[in-house]
Amino acid sequence: MSINTQRRSLMKALPAAGLSLGLPASAATAPDPWLQAQAIIDHVSRPLKFRKQDFDVTAYGAKTCKLSKVKAWISFEEQDTIDTPAAGSPDCYPAIRDAIKACSDAGGGRVVIPAGDWYCAGPIVLLSNVNVHLSANAHVYFSHNPADYAKYGDIDCGKHGKLSISRWQSNDCLNYSSMIYAYNQHNIALTGDDWTSTLDGQGGVPFNDDGDCWWTWKGKQKTINSIGQGTTPNFKAGKMSENTENPLNAVSLATVAPNLTEAERLLIQGEGQRWRADAQYLPALSEAGVPLSKRVFGIGHYLRAPMIQLIGCTNVLLQGYHVMRTPFWMHHPVHCRNLVIRKVHCESHGPNSDGFDPEACDHVLVDGCTFDTGDDCIAIKAGKDLDTQFGPSQNIVIQNCVMHSGHGGVTLGSEMAGGIQNVFAQKLVFENANWKTNPLNTAIRMKTNMNRGGYLRNFYVRDCTVPNGVQLSPSFYASLPGSPIQSKTVATAAGAIVTFDCDYTPISDNVRTRPPVVSNINISNIKVGNVTKDGKTASCFQAIVILGPVASDYNGPGPMPPVVPVTDVTITDCDFGMPVNTAQPWFLYNVKGLTLKNVGIGGKVHNTTLSVGA
């Protein structure tokens, strides 16, 4: 196996060059932090320029396909009959590839996918100075067979396929290519005429005789009281999944990381063989310092690639299309700067169908998008375990968006080991249109734990509405044995308007040695409406949940690093509606300086500053 070391060196060198672009690192020092938000908007809004030449994919041999009907999963729990390319459909992958190359070789321009139904059995790989554009009524159906994304990657991994440099839940790996992919490119765009310009990942369409689809690979669900998401499509105990012990993985880390001490190895592996499941094995490789070249997944493994993954790119525009039914996260830019996603419809109700997950990115604008997702609508990431070489996510503005189903509307974490700072969210509608059957779990959310650590500072939210509230019943994660937080007692998974969770699913992480630091949060002018369900008129289960770091989760060597409370959270001029739990409208643990100013909850206005110890 060979890896282009020059490309890898470039990726590693980029953080050292700095991505702040002259803006202040701390929004807290500005008299009005929203002036920094406007500076970010102004900086990234300069139009990208492309040569005025079109490259129509039909000139390179692309042909439309006929459609047939198939019974497929359309969410965690529902099946329906939907369209899919008929057997034997022409594959337009080679034509799109050749059109992009011709466009790039000519100095750039626009690659056009015309109206029609197109079958693509391989990744669309973006190149510098190229805008891949979908015309109105162009519908690209990507192959639903995972093997098709282990054919064209840059790195030949033998029986595991030709794989791509990727990141899976914030850990670097060699894996199936994303359906749309870019690596270290500059001045790139993916655009559509309107929301009839469709990118379809076919995540719920079966690819084998057993009826398995991409989503089956999720495996067992963990959340307690997960409304509308209680099962995984076609998954049954004993099937292979990301959470099933994989015999292809090493029996002991000693064979792949011989320099570990016995104590380090035992800590990373934890008890039993659970660590050998792919979703646990990859983080274990990161914790053990195993290099990328030995983190080989692909064929024989069960880590679903993001639908659209852009790594190390600058000056990026994503605009005006509809992405749907994605195998995993819809958009995952990693270590990108100057990125705009505008007027994109993100719709996928399958497992881990996050809408937009910028990771270790700098200068990002999310503007005018609609999210209807099976996981977080937006989730800002920044590395996990030891994969923090790209630094923090910072200087991000989210505005004028609509959120429907999903775990969190605007979420920070959970993978945030590199830190998150200077995030601004304004003029959002957490519409929660599917509140009767598949409600938005929480509107504003942060999640981390003693493994994922990192910092969050300078997070500002203003002028948002939540007209149909959020989930009215509590959802929980399990706590560790001996924790002061008993399992099934705190609604951190769903039920609050504002949730800051520093004890997110702690049982999933064997290494818990990095306490998070959360400070300087400002939330203002949030208006929440009530709905009536099962005889209850309410907006949420509780208005606010702030669960600070839990020191007893720490399992590393002494002395334990400082475990500090969530600090300086200010909530002003808000009306959170009527919580179901009127006796306890908020839950606080390890919080210092939560200030409520003119905050209405259940008809009572609160003006107070609260601090609660661990």
Side-chain angles (χ1 to χ4, degrees):
M1 177 174 56
S2 62
I3 295 178
N4 186 325
T5 55
Q6 185 176 6
R7 294 172 71 194
R8 287 292 300 163
S9 297
L10 177 60
M11 282 187 71
K12 291 181 177 179
L14 282 172
L19 299 179
S20 63
L21 301 173
L23 291 179
S26 175
T29 61
D32 179 1
W34 288 97
L35 295 177
Q36 183 175 357
Q38 189 58 51
I40 296 166
I41 295 169
D42 294 343
H43 180 85
V44 302
S45 295
R46 290 174 292 195
L48 301 186
K49 296 181 180 179
F50 299 93
R51 289 178 64 252
K52 301 296 184 182
Q53 182 178 358
D54 283 353
F55 296 76
D56 191 313
V57 297
T58 60
Y60 297 84
K63 297 180 180 179
T64 57
C65 65
K66 295 182 179 180
L67 302 178
S68 61
K69 299 293 184 180
V70 63
K71 186 177 182 181
W73 295 90
I74 59 171
S75 72
F76 284 80
E77 300 177 350
E78 300 173 279
Q79 289 181 287
D80 200 358
T81 300
I82 63 173
D83 288 329
T84 191
S89 290
D91 176 12
C92 65
Y93 162 76
I96 296 175
R97 176 201 60 203
D98 292 348
I100 291 173
K101 184 178 185 304
C103 182
S104 177
D105 289 346
R110 191 173 73 155
V111 171
V112 178
I113 301 176
D117 297 312
W118 309 91
Y119 173 61
C120 187
I124 294 177
V125 179
L126 306 180
L127 298 178
S128 294
N129 301 312
V130 174
N131 172 13
V132 173
H133 181 78
L134 280 73
S135 301
N137 296 304
H139 192 132
V140 178
Y141 293 85
F142 286 93
S143 168
H144 56 286
N145 187 346
D148 287 329
Y149 303 94
K151 292 179 177 179
Y152 304 110
D154 288 339
I155 301 163
D156 190 343
C157 297
K159 65 181 181 181
H160 298 287
K162 292 183 177 180
L163 305 181
S164 299
I165 295 174
S166 184
R167 215 172 229 219
W168 190 86
Q169 287 196 340
S170 298
N171 288 127
D172 298 320
C173 61
L174 303 175
N175 198 19
Y176 297 103
S177 174
S178 297
M179 294 173 174
I180 296 175
Y181 180 78
Y183 186 101
N184 281 351
Q185 301 302 305
H186 172 76
N187 198 53
I188 58 175
L190 176 67
T191 62
D193 278 343
D194 54 37
W195 288 354
T196 66
S197 308
T198 303
L199 298 165
D200 191 336
Q202 301 204 94
V205 177
F207 60 74
N208 61 19
D209 292 340
D210 291 336
D212 295 337
C213 60
W214 277 110
W215 292 342
T216 307
W217 289 6
K218 167 65 177 181
K220 185 179 179 181
Q221 297 294 318
K222 295 180 180 179
T223 307
I224 303 164
N225 185 32
S226 182
I227 297 176
Q229 300 183 359
T231 60
T232 297
N234 214 51
F235 178 77
K236 298 174 183 175
K239 273 193 176 184
M240 292 302 297
S241 75
E242 69 187 51
N243 294 314
T244 308
E245 180 185 341
N246 191 330
L248 296 180
N249 294 332
V251 175
S252 170
L253 277 175
T255 62
V256 292
N259 294 330
L260 291 176
T261 67
E262 186 68 359
E264 289 169 336
R265 182 185 69 80
L266 292 174
L267 177 64
I268 295 170
Q269 291 184 190
E271 297 181 1
Q273 295 297 303
R274 184 174 66 109
W275 74 280
R276 297 182 65 208
D278 289 337
Q280 300 292 327
Y281 188 67
L282 176 57
L285 297 180
S286 173
E287 291 283 5
V290 174
L292 173 67
S293 61
K294 295 183 179 179
R295 302 187 197 180
V296 179
F297 289 83
I299 293 172
H301 295 271
Y302 299 89
L303 301 184
R304 296 160 289 150
M307 174 84 171
I308 300 168
Q309 186 169 60
L310 317 172
I311 300 177
C313 298
T314 58
N315 299 341
V316 178
L317 175 64
L318 306 169
Q319 179 171 288
Y321 55 84
H322 179 195
V323 59
M324 63 190 302
R325 301 181 187 133
T326 64
F328 194 62
W329 297 350
M330 296 187 219
H331 300 87
H332 185 207
V334 178
H335 188 44
C336 294
R337 58 180 174 178
N338 303 342
L339 184 149
V340 175
I341 178 170
R342 181 185 289 122
K343 296 182 180 177
V344 172
H345 186 193
C346 301
E347 181 185 23
S348 182
H349 283 184
N352 303 106
S353 290
D354 296 32
F356 180 67
D357 290 17
E359 176 162 4
C361 291
D362 190 356
H363 284 77
V364 177
L365 174 62
V366 187
D367 193 4
C369 296
T370 293
F371 298 90
D372 197 355
T373 68
D375 207 309
D376 293 316
C377 296
I378 296 172
I380 298 170
K381 314 285 188 180
K384 185 173 182 288
D385 306 295
L386 303 188
D387 294 336
T388 60
Q389 70 271 28
F390 301 139
S393 275
Q394 59 185 355
N395 303 321
I396 297 171
V397 177
I398 303 162
Q399 62 181 16
N400 307 317
C401 294
V402 177
M403 285 80 169
H404 292 302
S405 296
H407 290 181
V410 173
T411 296
L412 308 122
S414 65
E415 302 87 356
M416 51 181 281
I420 299 172
Q421 63 184 2
N422 306 343
V423 177
F424 305 85
Q426 63 178 341
K427 301 176 183 176
L428 307 177
V429 180
F430 301 95
E431 183 73 31
N432 191 17
N434 306 313
W435 62 268
K436 291 182 180 179
T437 57
N438 187 15
L440 185 68
N441 293 174
T442 182
I444 301 163
R445 183 186 200 195
M446 188 219 68
K447 48 183 178 174
T448 183
N449 60 25
M450 293 285 273
N451 167 276
R452 299 164 195 230
Y455 61 80
L456 169 64
R457 57 190 181 222
N458 311 333
F459 176 41
Y460 298 86
V461 184
R462 69 177 182 182
D463 303 340
C464 301
T465 60
V466 193
N468 296 303
V470 297
Q471 183 172 310
L472 301 185
S473 59
S475 292
F476 312 103
Y477 295 115
S479 301
L480 289 162
S483 171
I485 307 301
Q486 296 183 6
S487 292
K488 304 183 183 181
T489 62
V490 184
T492 50
I497 305 297
V498 176
T499 305
F500 284 80
D501 179 8
C502 296
D503 195 39
Y504 171 75
T505 185
I507 64 172
S508 296
D509 296 310
N510 291 335
V511 177
R512 300 184 297 276
T513 61
R514 295 176 284 265
V517 179
V518 179
S519 63
N520 193 35
I521 314 299
N522 288 264
I523 299 170
S524 64
N525 193 27
I526 310 298
K527 307 300 181 187
V528 184
N530 300 319
V531 296
T532 300
K533 183 178 180 180
D534 300 328
K536 299 175 183 176
T537 298
S539 61
C540 57
F541 177 72
Q542 288 176 300
I544 303 164
V545 171
I546 303 180
L547 173 55
V550 178
S552 64
D553 287 359
Y554 182 82
N555 66 351
M560 181 171 64
V563 178
V564 299
V566 174
T567 304
D568 295 334
V569 179
T570 301
I571 302 177
T572 306
D573 299 325
C574 294
D575 184 349
F576 288 132
M578 178 67 69
V580 171
N581 189 354
T582 54
Q584 191 180 18
W586 55 70
F587 172 90
L588 307 178
Y589 175 90
N590 202 11
V591 180
K592 181 181 180 181
L594 167 64
T595 299
L596 305 180
K597 298 179 182 178
N598 190 31
V599 175
I601 305 175
K604 182 179 179 180
V605 177
H606 297 270
N607 291 282
T608 186
T609 297
L610 303 167
S611 296
V612 176

